[in-house]
Amino acid sequence: MEDSGTVTGEHIHSAEPTVVAVDGPAGSGKSSVSLATARKLGYGFLDTGSAYRALAWFANREGVDREDAAAVLDLFPRFDFAPALNADAPVVSVNGIDATAAIRTPETTASVSAIARIPGVREFFNSGFRRRVASSGMPGVIVEGRDITTVVFPDAPVRILLTADEAVRAVRRSAEHVPTQPSAADTADTARQLRARDAADSEVVDFMNAAEGVTVVDSTTLNFDETVDAVITVIRAQAVKEKA
């Protein structure tokens, strides 16, 4: 694969958007690490999970049973959603309403897996993600979520599986929801939620194992900044390889 891009400081420029695909289990830090990496490189950022969350929130708002696939698919004609790629302002808008905070509520979170298991929903969003990235006009876009490295962008020049031990992921996720130091009970409950989420989602996609050509970044012993640096190292190594 030929590459006409150059690496200058924190920015990697290319004639076409460089896609960095990031997969990983729940609580692995995909969103926060990908967002920070995008900001540092001057890339766009696409949180694919926000699309499923937005549809889950809209379905709940419309009183649609998320287990009714036909009813959920019928929502698309009146579901106006375009994923924002601006890493400095990752706003989620549904039908002109700012739903950035609403899609992160426990009620919405509990609905996401059922929505994401509907094949037609995944097909609709996946094709939309590809079009959005291709027309972004950005030097690159970091795309994170589930099955990104294998289904959504299997030919991306950079594909990363971001992971960490379950116990570490549980502690980190607990800390996001508990202002003070999370208790052992908080962490145990979070671990159960992560296992349940991964088990449900793994019925549809494989995001726990790295496919051929996917680089594993294990953040078990890394802090946040070190994890971001590790991801950037993978991106830069690939850029150098393609220029050789």
Side-chain angles (χ1 to χ4, degrees), residues 3-201:
D3 180 75
S4 59
T6 59
V7 179
T8 307
E10 295 295 346
H11 299 270
I12 300 176
H13 300 286
S14 176
E16 295 183 358
T18 295
V19 178
V20 179
V22 181
D23 265 324
S28 62
K30 297 187 304 297
S31 294
S32 55
V33 169
S34 295
L35 179 59
T37 301
R39 287 172 173 168
K40 198 165 186 179
L41 294 178
Y43 276 14
F45 167 69
L46 175 55
D47 170 11
T48 62
S50 68
Y52 295 97
R53 285 179 171 275
L55 183 58
W57 172 77
F58 188 62
N60 289 339
R61 192 168 183 265
E62 294 292 300
V64 172
D65 181 1
R66 58 185 180 272
E67 301 288 346
D68 186 338
V72 171
L73 292 173
D74 282 343
L75 288 172
F76 280 125
R78 59 182 192 275
F79 176 67
D80 184 9
F81 169 82
L85 299 184
N86 185 350
D88 293 320
V91 176
V92 175
S93 177
V94 179
N95 294 352
I97 300 172
D98 185 343
T100 308
I103 66 170
R104 300 291 172 182
T105 63
E107 179 186 14
T108 300
T109 298
S111 305
V112 175
S113 289
I115 292 287
R117 285 198 295 269
I118 301 173
V121 169
R122 301 196 71 82
E123 292 168 6
F124 178 89
F125 280 139
N126 288 346
S127 60
F129 296 150
R130 297 183 192 108
R131 290 194 302 272
R132 185 74 179 92
V133 170
S135 64
S136 68
M138 295 180 168
V141 179
I142 297 184
V143 185
E144 67 88 6
R146 297 288 176 84
D147 74 357
I148 307 304
T149 64
T150 55
V151 177
V152 187
F153 288 102
D155 298 321
V158 185
R159 295 183 295 153
I160 296 171
L161 177 69
L162 181 61
T163 189
D165 288 347
E166 182 184 278
V168 173
R169 290 189 284 118
V171 170
R172 291 173 179 170
R173 181 56 62 86
S174 294
E176 294 176 3
H177 301 295
V178 180
T180 57
Q181 183 67 27
S183 66
D186 291 327
T187 302
D189 183 56
T190 299
R192 285 192 293 272
Q193 293 177 21
L194 291 179
R195 282 194 296 272
R197 171 89 182 274
D198 285 341
D201 290 353

Side-chain angles (χ1 to χ4, degrees), residues 209-232:
N209 302 296
E212 184 178 354
V214 175
T215 301
V216 176
V217 174
D218 189 329
S219 69
T220 300
T221 62
L222 305 177
N223 63 29
F224 182 79
D225 290 337
E226 290 170 338
T227 304
V228 172
D229 288 342
V231 169
I232 290 176

